[in-house]
Amino acid sequence: EKQLMPEDILHLRAMSMTIMQDPICEIRPEEAERYLVDHEDPIGDLPAWHPTRMVHQVFDPFRSRKLTVVRYQKLILERLDNEPLLAAFGVDTGFNMQAYFMILHAWLLHQRLVLEGSKAKKIDEDLFEQCWNMTRSWLVLKRVPEYRFDAELQNVQEYMLGACIAMDKALERPDVLPARVQQCLWANMYSGSVKKDHRGLMRLTKYMLRQLGLILQLDSDRFLSGQFIWADFPVSDRVRKPLKLPEWREKFRSEQVESLGKLDLKSMGSRPASIPGSDPKTPSLRP
């Protein structure tokens, strides 16, 4: 940031103002309440004296934290499978863009976890461990040879953490935050392969600002228990063909649907909620 020339700052401020002219970037406090959900917890909702709850407190003292991380994981997975959003942002089904899209949502959650301090430190660690587990699963399904598996995993982790660090640095300058987020997304998610006024890039920039605004407004207890969904984002109502997933991605989707479905039935008991952004009646995107 210190190397930026005055003319660079002026350009970034002008671009930031252009981006923020779209009201979709911001969420009002009363609007944020629309994205709260109530997840039922068959164990946690029992009276404190109930034998079943007492047994879990003794033999599974970290159950609440693990449940929160699972809910965060489901939030991320829903975004990865949200085809209207992927199409709106120009996110393909290749490994690199999928990995970046995953870590961007983990980064959003991480920002609030950092603000929550020491009580959320372990949740933050577990969240990123889930991301690395997901990455490992993808590499396995892609049949990466064993002799270069560790090197491939380390390489992916370095790129993903690099994107998070770049986004962190963007937060250091609130006056040019929108433009800096756009630059980070352009350099990482899109690998500099599109123009900086690319529609998908501009939409993803606004999407990230909108979701960050939501995450930072949530009540602490709501956030730390994962009782929320992502803010909606307008997508095109144009009928499109389903995305053709590569074999590794299709297998991963099938495995996650099965494993998370079993988890819902056995322990989470979540009340179904419609996922904003996937409704075909959602209004069309602004240019």
Side-chain angles (χ1 to χ4, degrees), residues 158-216:
E158 288 176 354
Y159 274 98
M160 294 167 73
L161 287 176
C164 291
I165 292 172
M167 294 289 285
D168 285 343
K169 289 187 177 296
L171 294 175
E172 296 174 1
R173 291 290 301 262
D175 58 326
V176 294
L177 173 61
R180 292 296 284 163
V181 167
Q182 181 198 30
Q183 288 186 342
C184 292
L185 295 174
W186 174 79
N188 292 279
M189 168 70 81
Y190 298 92
S191 302
S193 62
V194 299
K195 294 181 179 180
K196 289 190 176 180
D197 61 351
H198 180 261
R199 282 193 173 189
L201 170 59
M202 294 296 290
R203 291 166 179 167
L204 182 56
T205 300
K206 296 173 182 179
Y207 170 87
M208 290 295 292
L209 295 170
R210 180 171 175 80
Q211 302 303 340
L212 182 61
L214 170 67
I215 293 297
L216 296 180

Coordinates of all heavy atoms in Angstrom, one line a residue, residues 158-216:
E158 N -0.8 -23.0 -0.4 CA 0.0 -21.7 -0.5 C -0.8 -20.7 -1.3 O -0.9 -19.5 -0.9 CB 1.4 -22.0 -1.0 CG 2.3 -22.7 -0.1 CD 3.6 -23.0 -0.7 OE1 3.8 -22.8 -1.9 OE2 4.5 -23.5 0.0
Y159 N -1.4 -21.1 -2.4 CA -2.1 -20.2 -3.2 C -3.4 -19.7 -2.5 O -3.8 -18.6 -2.6 CB -2.5 -20.9 -4.6 CG -1.4 -20.8 -5.6 CD1 -0.5 -21.8 -5.9 CD2 -1.3 -19.6 -6.4 CE1 0.5 -21.7 -6.8 CE2 -0.3 -19.5 -7.3 CZ 0.6 -20.6 -7.6 OH 1.6 -20.4 -8.5
M160 N -4.1 -20.7 -1.9 CA -5.3 -20.3 -1.2 C -5.0 -19.3 0.0 O -5.8 -18.4 0.2 CB -6.0 -21.6 -0.7 CG -6.5 -22.4 -1.8 SD -7.1 -24.1 -1.3 CE -8.6 -23.7 -0.5
L161 N -4.0 -19.6 0.8 CA -3.7 -18.7 1.9 C -3.2 -17.4 1.4 O -3.4 -16.3 2.0 CB -2.6 -19.4 2.8 CG -3.1 -20.5 3.7 CD1 -1.9 -21.2 4.4 CD2 -4.2 -20.1 4.6
G162 N -2.5 -17.4 0.2 CA -2.1 -16.2 -0.4 C -3.2 -15.3 -0.8 O -3.2 -14.1 -0.6
A163 N -4.3 -15.9 -1.3 CA -5.5 -15.1 -1.6 C -6.1 -14.5 -0.3 O -6.6 -13.4 -0.3 CB -6.5 -16.0 -2.3
C164 N -6.1 -15.3 0.8 CA -6.7 -14.8 2.0 C -5.8 -13.6 2.6 O -6.4 -12.6 3.1 CB -6.7 -15.9 3.1 SG -7.9 -17.2 2.7
I165 N -4.5 -13.7 2.5 CA -3.7 -12.7 2.9 C -3.9 -11.4 2.1 O -3.9 -10.3 2.7 CB -2.2 -13.1 2.9 CG1 -1.9 -14.2 3.9 CG2 -1.3 -11.9 3.1 CD1 -0.6 -14.8 3.8
A166 N -4.0 -11.6 0.8 CA -4.3 -10.4 -0.1 C -5.6 -9.7 0.3 O -5.7 -8.5 0.3 CB -4.3 -10.9 -1.5
M167 N -6.6 -10.5 0.6 CA -7.9 -10.0 1.0 C -7.8 -9.3 2.4 O -8.4 -8.3 2.6 CB -9.0 -11.1 1.1 CG -9.3 -11.7 -0.3 SD -10.3 -10.6 -1.3 CE -11.9 -10.6 -0.6
D168 N -7.0 -9.9 3.3 CA -6.8 -9.2 4.6 C -6.2 -7.8 4.4 O -6.6 -6.9 5.0 CB -5.8 -10.1 5.4 CG -6.5 -11.3 6.0 OD1 -7.7 -11.4 6.0 OD2 -5.7 -12.2 6.4
K169 N -5.2 -7.7 3.5 CA -4.5 -6.4 3.2 C -5.5 -5.4 2.6 O -5.4 -4.2 2.9 CB -3.3 -6.6 2.3 CG -2.1 -7.4 3.0 CD -0.9 -7.4 2.1 CE 0.2 -8.0 2.8 NZ 0.7 -7.3 4.0
A170 N -6.5 -5.9 1.9 CA -7.5 -5.0 1.3 C -8.3 -4.3 2.4 O -8.7 -3.2 2.2 CB -8.4 -5.8 0.3
L171 N -8.5 -5.0 3.5 CA -9.3 -4.4 4.6 C -8.5 -3.3 5.3 O -9.2 -2.6 6.1 CB -9.6 -5.5 5.6 CG -10.5 -6.7 5.1 CD1 -10.6 -7.7 6.2 CD2 -11.9 -6.1 4.7
E172 N -7.2 -3.2 5.1 CA -6.4 -2.2 5.8 C -6.8 -0.8 5.3 O -6.4 0.2 5.9 CB -4.9 -2.5 5.6 CG -4.5 -3.8 6.3 CD -3.1 -4.1 6.0 OE1 -2.4 -3.3 5.3 OE2 -2.6 -5.2 6.5
R173 N -7.4 -0.7 4.1 CA -7.7 0.6 3.5 C -9.2 0.7 3.2 O -9.6 0.4 2.1 CB -6.9 0.9 2.2 CG -5.4 1.1 2.4 CD -5.1 2.4 3.1 NE -5.6 3.5 2.3 CZ -4.9 4.3 1.5 NH1 -3.6 4.0 1.3 NH2 -5.4 5.3 0.9
P174 N -10.0 1.0 4.2 CA -11.5 1.1 4.0 C -11.9 2.0 2.9 O -12.9 1.8 2.2 CB -12.0 1.6 5.3 CG -10.9 1.2 6.3 CD -9.6 1.4 5.6
D175 N -11.1 3.1 2.6 CA -11.4 4.1 1.6 C -11.4 3.5 0.2 O -12.0 4.1 -0.7 CB -10.6 5.3 1.8 CG -9.1 5.0 1.6 OD1 -8.7 3.9 2.0 OD2 -8.3 5.9 1.1
V176 N -10.6 2.5 0.0 CA -10.5 1.9 -1.3 C -10.8 0.4 -1.3 O -10.3 -0.3 -2.1 CB -9.1 2.2 -1.9 CG1 -8.9 3.6 -2.2 CG2 -7.9 1.6 -1.0
L177 N -11.5 0.0 -0.2 CA -11.7 -1.5 0.0 C -12.4 -2.1 -1.2 O -11.9 -3.2 -1.7 CB -12.6 -1.7 1.2 CG -13.1 -3.1 1.4 CD1 -12.0 -4.1 1.6 CD2 -14.0 -3.1 2.7
P178 N -13.5 -1.6 -1.8 CA -14.1 -2.2 -2.9 C -13.2 -2.5 -4.1 O -13.1 -3.6 -4.7 CB -15.2 -1.3 -3.3 CG -15.6 -0.6 -2.1 CD -14.2 -0.4 -1.4
A179 N -12.4 -1.5 -4.5 CA -11.4 -1.6 -5.6 C -10.3 -2.6 -5.3 O -9.9 -3.3 -6.1 CB -10.8 -0.2 -5.9
R180 N -9.9 -2.6 -4.0 CA -8.8 -3.6 -3.6 C -9.4 -5.0 -3.6 O -8.6 -5.9 -4.0 CB -8.3 -3.2 -2.3 CG -7.5 -1.9 -2.2 CD -6.3 -1.9 -3.1 NE -5.2 -2.7 -2.4 CZ -4.1 -3.2 -3.0 NH1 -4.0 -3.0 -4.3 NH2 -3.2 -3.8 -2.4
V181 N -10.6 -5.2 -3.2 CA -11.2 -6.5 -3.3 C -11.3 -7.0 -4.7 O -11.0 -8.1 -5.1 CB -12.6 -6.5 -2.6 CG1 -13.4 -7.8 -3.0 CG2 -12.5 -6.3 -1.1
Q182 N -11.7 -6.0 -5.6 CA -11.8 -6.4 -7.0 C -10.4 -6.8 -7.6 O -10.3 -7.8 -8.3 CB -12.3 -5.1 -7.8 CG -12.4 -5.4 -9.3 CD -12.5 -4.1 -10.1 OE1 -11.9 -3.1 -9.7 NE2 -13.2 -4.1 -11.2
Q183 N -9.4 -6.1 -7.2 CA -8.0 -6.4 -7.6 C -7.6 -7.8 -7.1 O -7.0 -8.6 -7.9 CB -7.0 -5.4 -7.2 CG -7.1 -4.0 -7.9 CD -6.0 -3.1 -7.5 OE1 -5.3 -3.2 -6.5 NE2 -5.8 -2.1 -8.3
C184 N -7.9 -8.1 -5.9 CA -7.5 -9.4 -5.3 C -8.2 -10.5 -6.0 O -7.6 -11.6 -6.3 CB -7.9 -9.4 -3.8 SG -6.9 -8.4 -2.8
L185 N -9.5 -10.3 -6.3 CA -10.3 -11.4 -7.0 C -9.8 -11.5 -8.4 O -9.6 -12.7 -8.9 CB -11.8 -11.0 -7.0 CG -12.5 -11.0 -5.7 CD1 -13.9 -10.4 -5.8 CD2 -12.5 -12.3 -5.0
W186 N -9.4 -10.4 -9.1 CA -8.9 -10.5 -10.5 C -7.6 -11.3 -10.5 O -7.4 -12.1 -11.4 CB -8.7 -9.1 -11.0 CG -8.0 -9.0 -12.3 CD1 -8.6 -9.2 -13.5 CD2 -6.7 -8.7 -12.6 NE1 -7.7 -9.0 -14.5 CE2 -6.5 -8.7 -14.0 CE3 -5.6 -8.4 -11.7 CZ2 -5.2 -8.5 -14.6 CZ3 -4.3 -8.2 -12.3 CH2 -4.2 -8.2 -13.7
A187 N -6.7 -11.0 -9.5 CA -5.4 -11.6 -9.5 C -5.4 -13.1 -9.1 O -4.6 -13.9 -9.5 CB -4.4 -10.9 -8.6
N188 N -6.4 -13.4 -8.2 CA -6.4 -14.8 -7.7 C -7.5 -15.7 -8.3 O -7.2 -16.6 -9.0 CB -6.6 -14.7 -6.2 CG -5.4 -14.1 -5.4 OD1 -4.4 -14.8 -5.2 ND2 -5.5 -12.8 -5.1
M189 N -8.7 -15.4 -8.1 CA -9.8 -16.2 -8.6 C -9.8 -16.3 -10.1 O -9.9 -17.4 -10.7 CB -11.2 -15.6 -8.2 CG -12.4 -16.1 -8.9 SD -12.8 -17.8 -8.5 CE -13.7 -17.5 -7.0
Y190 N -9.5 -15.2 -10.8 CA -9.5 -15.1 -12.3 C -8.1 -15.2 -12.9 O -7.9 -15.2 -14.1 CB -10.2 -13.9 -12.8 CG -11.7 -13.9 -12.4 CD1 -12.1 -13.2 -11.2 CD2 -12.7 -14.5 -13.1 CE1 -13.4 -13.2 -10.8 CE2 -14.0 -14.5 -12.7 CZ -14.4 -13.8 -11.6 OH -15.7 -13.8 -11.2
S191 N -7.1 -15.3 -12.0 CA -5.7 -15.4 -12.4 C -5.3 -14.3 -13.5 O -4.4 -14.6 -14.3 CB -5.4 -16.8 -13.0 OG -5.7 -17.8 -12.1
G192 N -5.9 -13.2 -13.4 CA -5.6 -12.1 -14.3 C -6.0 -12.3 -15.7 O -5.5 -11.7 -16.7
S193 N -6.8 -13.3 -16.0 CA -7.1 -13.7 -17.3 C -8.3 -13.0 -17.9 O -8.7 -13.2 -19.1 CB -7.4 -15.2 -17.4 OG -8.5 -15.6 -16.6
V194 N -9.0 -12.1 -17.2 CA -10.1 -11.4 -17.7 C -9.8 -9.9 -17.5 O -8.9 -9.5 -16.8 CB -11.4 -11.7 -16.9 CG1 -11.8 -13.2 -17.1 CG2 -11.3 -11.4 -15.5
K195 N -10.6 -9.1 -18.2 CA -10.5 -7.6 -18.1 C -11.0 -7.2 -16.7 O -11.8 -7.9 -16.1 CB -11.3 -6.9 -19.2 CG -10.7 -7.1 -20.6 CD -11.5 -6.3 -21.6 CE -11.0 -6.5 -23.0 NZ -11.7 -5.8 -24.0
K196 N -10.5 -6.1 -16.2 CA -10.8 -5.7 -14.8 C -12.3 -5.2 -14.7 O -12.8 -4.9 -13.6 CB -9.9 -4.7 -14.3 CG -8.5 -5.3 -14.0 CD -7.6 -4.3 -13.3 CE -6.3 -5.0 -12.9 NZ -5.4 -4.1 -12.2
D197 N -12.9 -4.9 -15.9 CA -14.3 -4.6 -15.9 C -15.2 -5.7 -16.3 O -16.4 -5.6 -16.6 CB -14.6 -3.4 -16.8 CG -14.2 -3.6 -18.2 OD1 -13.6 -4.7 -18.5 OD2 -14.5 -2.8 -19.1
H198 N -14.6 -7.0 -16.2 CA -15.4 -8.2 -16.6 C -16.6 -8.3 -15.7 O -16.6 -8.1 -14.5 CB -14.5 -9.4 -16.3 CG -15.1 -10.7 -16.6 ND1 -15.7 -11.5 -15.6 CD2 -15.3 -11.4 -17.8 CE1 -16.1 -12.6 -16.2 NE2 -15.9 -12.5 -17.5
R199 N -17.8 -8.6 -16.3 CA -19.0 -8.6 -15.6 C -19.0 -9.6 -14.4 O -19.5 -9.3 -13.3 CB -20.2 -9.0 -16.5 CG -20.7 -7.8 -17.4 CD -22.0 -8.2 -18.0 NE -22.5 -7.0 -18.7 CZ -23.8 -7.0 -19.2 NH1 -24.5 -8.1 -19.1 NH2 -24.2 -5.9 -19.9
G200 N -18.5 -10.8 -14.6 CA -18.4 -11.8 -13.6 C -17.6 -11.3 -12.4 O -17.9 -11.4 -11.2
L201 N -16.5 -10.6 -12.7 CA -15.6 -10.1 -11.7 C -16.3 -9.0 -10.9 O -16.2 -8.9 -9.6 CB -14.3 -9.5 -12.3 CG -13.4 -8.7 -11.4 CD1 -12.9 -9.5 -10.2 CD2 -12.2 -8.2 -12.2
M202 N -17.0 -8.1 -11.6 CA -17.7 -7.0 -10.9 C -18.8 -7.5 -10.0 O -19.0 -7.1 -8.9 CB -18.2 -6.0 -11.9 CG -17.2 -5.3 -12.7 SD -16.2 -4.2 -11.7 CE -17.4 -2.9 -11.3
R203 N -19.5 -8.5 -10.5 CA -20.6 -9.1 -9.7 C -20.0 -9.8 -8.4 O -20.6 -9.7 -7.3 CB -21.3 -10.1 -10.5 CG -22.2 -9.5 -11.6 CD -22.6 -10.5 -12.6 NE -23.5 -9.9 -13.7 CZ -23.8 -10.5 -14.8 NH1 -23.4 -11.8 -15.0 NH2 -24.5 -9.9 -15.7
L204 N -18.9 -10.6 -8.6 CA -18.3 -11.3 -7.5 C -17.8 -10.3 -6.4 O -17.9 -10.5 -5.2 CB -17.2 -12.2 -7.9 CG -16.5 -13.0 -6.8 CD1 -17.5 -13.8 -6.1 CD2 -15.4 -13.9 -7.4
T205 N -17.2 -9.1 -6.9 CA -16.8 -8.1 -6.0 C -17.9 -7.6 -5.1 O -17.8 -7.5 -3.9 CB -16.2 -6.9 -6.8 OG1 -15.0 -7.4 -7.5 CG2 -15.7 -5.8 -5.8
K206 N -19.0 -7.3 -5.8 CA -20.2 -6.8 -5.0 C -20.8 -7.9 -4.1 O -21.2 -7.6 -3.0 CB -21.3 -6.3 -6.0 CG -20.9 -5.2 -6.9 CD -21.9 -4.9 -8.0 CE -21.4 -3.7 -8.9 NZ -22.4 -3.4 -10.0
Y207 N -20.7 -9.1 -4.6 CA -21.2 -10.2 -3.8 C -20.4 -10.4 -2.5 O -20.9 -10.5 -1.4 CB -21.1 -11.5 -4.6 CG -21.3 -12.8 -3.8 CD1 -22.6 -13.3 -3.6 CD2 -20.2 -13.5 -3.3 CE1 -22.8 -14.5 -2.9 CE2 -20.4 -14.7 -2.6 CZ -21.7 -15.2 -2.4 OH -21.9 -16.3 -1.7
M208 N -19.0 -10.3 -2.6 CA -18.2 -10.4 -1.5 C -18.4 -9.3 -0.5 O -18.4 -9.5 0.8 CB -16.7 -10.4 -1.9 CG -16.3 -11.7 -2.6 SD -16.3 -13.1 -1.6 CE -15.0 -12.8 -0.4
L209 N -18.6 -8.1 -1.0 CA -18.9 -6.9 -0.1 C -20.2 -7.1 0.6 O -20.3 -6.8 1.8 CB -18.9 -5.6 -0.9 CG -17.5 -5.2 -1.5 CD1 -17.7 -4.0 -2.5 CD2 -16.5 -4.8 -0.4
R210 N -21.2 -7.6 -0.1 CA -22.5 -7.8 0.5 C -22.4 -8.9 1.6 O -23.0 -8.7 2.7 CB -23.5 -8.3 -0.6 CG -24.9 -8.5 -0.1 CD -25.8 -8.7 -1.3 NE -27.2 -9.1 -0.9 CZ -28.1 -8.2 -0.4 NH1 -27.8 -7.0 -0.3 NH2 -29.3 -8.7 -0.1
Q211 N -21.8 -10.0 1.3 CA -21.7 -11.1 2.3 C -20.8 -10.7 3.5 O -21.2 -11.0 4.7 CB -21.1 -12.3 1.7 CG -21.8 -12.9 0.5 CD -23.3 -13.2 0.8 OE1 -23.7 -13.4 1.9 NE2 -24.1 -13.3 -0.3
L212 N -19.8 -9.9 3.3 CA -19.0 -9.4 4.4 C -19.8 -8.5 5.3 O -19.7 -8.6 6.6 CB -17.8 -8.7 3.9 CG -16.8 -8.1 5.0 CD1 -16.2 -9.3 5.8 CD2 -15.7 -7.3 4.3
G213 N -20.6 -7.6 4.7 CA -21.5 -6.8 5.5 C -22.5 -7.5 6.3 O -22.8 -7.2 7.5
L214 N -23.0 -8.6 5.8 CA -23.9 -9.5 6.6 C -23.2 -10.1 7.7 O -23.7 -10.1 8.9 CB -24.5 -10.6 5.7 CG -25.3 -11.6 6.4 CD1 -26.6 -11.1 7.0 CD2 -25.7 -12.8 5.5
I215 N -22.1 -10.8 7.5 CA -21.3 -11.5 8.5 C -21.0 -10.6 9.7 O -21.1 -11.0 10.8 CB -20.1 -12.1 7.9 CG1 -20.4 -13.2 6.9 CG2 -19.2 -12.7 9.0 CD1 -21.2 -14.4 7.5
L216 N -20.6 -9.4 9.4 CA -20.1 -8.5 10.4 C -21.3 -7.9 11.3 O -21.1 -7.4 12.3 CB -19.3 -7.3 9.8 CG -18.0 -7.7 9.1 CD1 -17.3 -6.5 8.6 CD2 -17.1 -8.5 10.1

